[in-house]
Amino acid sequence: MGEVAAVILAAGLGKRMRSKYPKVLHPVGGRPMLQHVLGAAEKAGVDEILVVLGHGRDIILDEFEHIPYVVQEQQLGTGHALYQCRDALKSHVEHVLVLCGDVPLIKPETLKELMDHHIESGSYATILTAELPNPKGYGRIIRDDTGNVKGIVEHRDASPEELEIKEVNSGTYVFKRKELFEALDRIDTQNAQGEYYLTDVIGILFNEGKTVSAVMTEDPTEIMGINDRIQLAEAERIMRRRKNEELMLYGVTILDSETTRIDSGVKIAPDTIIYPFTIIEGNTEIGEDCRIGPFTTIVDCVIGKDTMIKNSVILESRIGSHCKVGPFAHIRPGTVLEDYVKVGDFVEIKKSKIGEGSKVPHLSYVGDAEVEEKVNIGAGTITCNYDGEKKWKTFIDEGAFIGSNTSLVAPVRIGKRAFVAAGSTITRDVPGEALAIARKKQENIEGWVRKRKKKDDD
Ligand code: UD1
Ligand code: CA
């Protein structure tokens, strides 16, 4: 078998998206559509990948710095787009797998099957097709009396009888390179859209007596093309269900798949339970036996095992094993919770490290702090980390006890096993094992209430 190159068509404007961003950058399952297609081509095992860019290519190249690409200056149609690759493909390439950048649900297994079929059947073109109950907008597969594929007719060019055909073109094909470019040389723009249609190559090859074959997908959802935001939402739904099902088969319990959105890149270990209304994004990894949610958002985090997170937002942080977080905690980027940490209700933690077994149970703000093991931070404690110009650090050493409603004015250090009295405003370091009280001493005035009453009565 000669070498196979994948070409991804991604130069189109995507007018129907009504967006200032190129269509292939719109995310599905948390990643740009183009990334899904690139990933599928890579996993299918092609020898080379080439992307055709045009509209919005600068923005695309900002996100995909290292992709090999050719430019289609004017978007004159899919045939014209593919034609731009004729000199850029390496000389060893004998077959070309064509993919559309707006078909993000395509699976690598399907591409492999398509390529195998193409090689084994010795076809000049092999089309991936699907049968759709509502084929509106797609090119229809035209077969002759014996069932051979003889052409593709675009929806807008189809006759009423052709519109009845349910078998559609997925926009994914494999071609023999030489004959592909020969045929592309011959296509014209005599059609409803006045474009160079790649699909016309099929008719040309057929008329020359060259074998054209088709492989039909079992799962028609994977060939779905995204042209507008309604289809984008539909693809999102399919992708979400796919990811959730993959995780469930792997041993993760998802209580309500409909309200759980987990990005394709997320990894979760078996026996973890995901409660409803939970969003897990980016490159998050979650260990086994965790309970996550309900109403929780987690972005780019690593979470250990047997950790519980309820009604919370956790961003770009590392959470250890056996931790309890929430309800209603906000853990902001750069935070590390070691094992057995408790972060309770209405607590915000930013860019801080909380040592093993330490607790921040209620109503606190901890920012730019290094907290060692077995520290207890009382309700309402605030690290005053910002002086209006600069951020400063707070250090709380092992076993220290911070009384409720304490303000720790950074930079400041609370020594090992030190004790800070409730209601203190701490502005100086506290030595290890010391007691710090920084509040006005309480005064009790005996009989004050009776005396006031008497005064009022007089
Ligand atoms: C195309 C097919 C149609 C198929 C459908 C599957 C043609 C003529 N029609 O229609 O048979 O059922 O895909 O989704 O091929 N592109 C370029 N340059 C261009 C035009 C398009 O790179 O000049 C790219 C687009 O960015 C897109 C892909 O090619 O990724 C498909 O183009 P699009 O305009 O969406 O084609 P469809 O009308 O969907
Ligand atoms: Ca399309």
Side-chain angles (χ1 to χ4, degrees):
M1 168 178 165
E3 288 193 3
V4 181
V7 173
I8 301 173
L9 307 182
L13 171 67
K15 223 184 293 164
R16 288 165 281 178
M17 293 298 281
R18 298 191 171 274
S19 173
K20 58 182 170 299
Y21 307 109
K23 176 160 72 175
V24 294
L25 281 190
H26 283 267
V28 174
R31 292 178 178 178
M33 286 194 235
L34 180 57
Q35 199 174 327
H36 290 286
V37 182
L38 277 166
E42 269 165 28
K43 283 193 202 134
V46 295
D47 301 291
E48 181 190 358
I49 296 180
L50 203 52
V51 183
V52 183
L53 297 178
H55 179 80
R57 68 173 182 271
D58 294 340
I59 318 178
I60 295 175
L61 288 171
D62 278 346
E63 278 201 41
F64 294 86
E65 282 174 19
H66 303 296
I67 47 167
Y69 67 96
V70 295
V71 176
Q72 183 196 22
E73 288 292 352
Q74 269 183 300
Q75 284 73 60
L76 302 179
T78 47
H80 180 259
L82 186 54
Y83 195 66
Q84 309 310 307
C85 299
R86 72 195 179 286
D87 300 325
L89 291 171
K90 291 190 184 127
S91 57
H92 292 298
V93 168
E94 282 181 31
H95 304 278
V96 183
L97 166 67
V98 178
L99 297 151
C100 289
D102 65 349
V103 180
L105 300 172
I106 195 88
K107 293 178 189 161
E109 306 88 80
T110 308
L111 296 179
K112 239 186 242 159
E113 213 183 297
L114 187 73
M115 292 192 290
D116 288 349
H117 185 278
H118 176 76
I119 303 294
E120 281 159 24
S121 63
S123 302
Y124 286 80
T126 307
I127 313 163
L128 182 69
T129 72
E131 225 160 45
L132 299 184
N134 177 13
K136 191 165 172 254
Y138 290 89
R140 306 297 205 280
I141 303 294
I142 312 295
R143 292 178 183 264
D144 66 11
D145 298 340
T146 54
N148 293 320
V149 179
K150 62 172 190 178
I152 299 174
V153 174
E154 288 305 291
H155 184 101
R156 291 219 246 161
D157 299 284
S159 66
E161 298 81 59
E162 286 166 340
L163 287 176
E164 293 299 311
I165 298 171
K166 299 276 189 276
E167 188 184 7
V168 303
N169 169 28
S170 67
T172 310
Y173 332 68
V174 195
F175 295 99
K176 282 195 182 169
R177 176 188 186 167
K178 184 166 161 284
E179 289 75 8
L180 166 67
F181 286 101
E182 281 168 9
L184 280 175
D185 250 333
R186 295 171 46 197
I187 58 175
D188 58 29
T189 56
Q190 302 296 308
N191 52 56
Q193 302 186 74
E195 290 185 353
Y196 292 99
Y197 286 170
L198 166 56
T199 44
D200 285 352
V201 164
I202 301 300
I204 293 175
L205 293 175
F206 179 83
N207 289 333
E208 287 175 347
K210 301 200 164 88
T211 318
V212 175
S213 59
V215 172
M216 203 192 281
T217 49
E218 274 169 39
D219 171 11
T221 64
E222 73 173 295
I223 66 114
M224 184 180 176
I226 312 302
N227 298 315
D228 60 33
R229 307 247 185 182
I230 296 172
Q231 289 166 329
L232 185 69
E234 178 67 10
E236 181 69 42
R237 207 176 58 80
I238 294 165
M239 187 73 95
R240 170 171 67 201
R241 207 172 48 206
R242 229 196 240 181
K243 178 68 184 180
N244 289 351
E245 283 174 4
E246 172 197 312
L247 287 167
M248 290 189 267
L249 289 174
Y250 185 65
V252 177
T253 295
I254 294 177
L255 294 179
D256 182 13
S257 197
E258 285 302 303
T259 64
T260 304
R261 222 204 76 204
I262 302 175
D263 276 1
S264 3
V266 172
K267 296 193 180 109
I268 306 180
D271 291 321
T272 279
I273 302 175
I274 312 291
Y275 288 77
F277 296 98
T278 293
I279 297 171
I280 308 176
E281 296 183 343
N283 293 316
T284 298
E285 282 181 36
I286 301 177
E288 58 188 28
D289 292 312
C290 290
R291 275 171 292 164
I292 311 288
F295 299 98
T296 291
T297 300
I298 299 175
V299 182
D300 288 324
C301 289
V302 176
I303 297 174
K305 40 185 167 173
D306 184 39
T307 279
M308 191 164 100
I309 296 171
K310 272 189 185 172
N311 300 62
S312 293
V313 175
I314 308 187
L315 313 171
E316 295 166 43
S317 291
R318 231 178 64 216
I319 313 293
S321 296
H322 318 288
C323 291
K324 287 198 170 79
V325 176
F328 313 111
H330 183 190
I331 299 193
R332 292 168 50 199
T335 295
V336 175
L337 306 187
E338 293 192 334
D339 297 347
Y340 297 100
V341 165
K342 179 181 163 73
V343 171
D345 332 26
F346 306 102
V347 171
E348 174 180 351
I349 304 212
K350 187 215 85 174
K351 208 178 182 181
S352 295
K353 191 180 132 195
I354 312 288
E356 186 168 327
S358 290
K359 296 189 170 91
V360 195
H362 334 267
L363 301 158
S364 288
Y365 170 65
V366 176
D368 303 302
E370 285 201 21
V371 177
E372 290 186 353
E373 309 87 81
K374 298 197 182 70
V375 166
N376 190 87
I377 297 184
T381 295
I382 305 288
T383 54
C384 311
N385 59 330
Y386 185 50
D387 61 10
E389 281 176 20
K390 266 188 87 170
K391 302 272 169 69
W392 299 96
K393 288 191 84 164
T394 300
F395 297 87
I396 305 179
D397 293 344
E398 186 200 323
F401 180 94
I402 313 296
S404 295
N405 203 30
T406 292
S407 301
L408 301 166
V409 182
V412 73
R413 177 182 288 270
I414 312 299
K416 265 190 193 171
R417 290 186 291 285
F419 203 100
V420 174
S424 293
T425 297
I426 300 295
T427 53
R428 286 187 290 133
D429 288 357
V430 178
E433 305 201 333
L435 166 67
I437 309 182
R439 64 183 188 224
K440 194 169 175 291
K441 216 170 186 174
Q442 181 172 334
E443 207 181 327
N444 291 338
I445 303 170
E446 293 290 340
W448 182 85
V449 173
R450 245 180 299 123
K451 271 184 233 157
R452 185 182 65 169
K453 191 159 187 302
K454 189 156 175 284
K455 212 165 126 197
D456 288 350
D457 292 347
D458 288 345

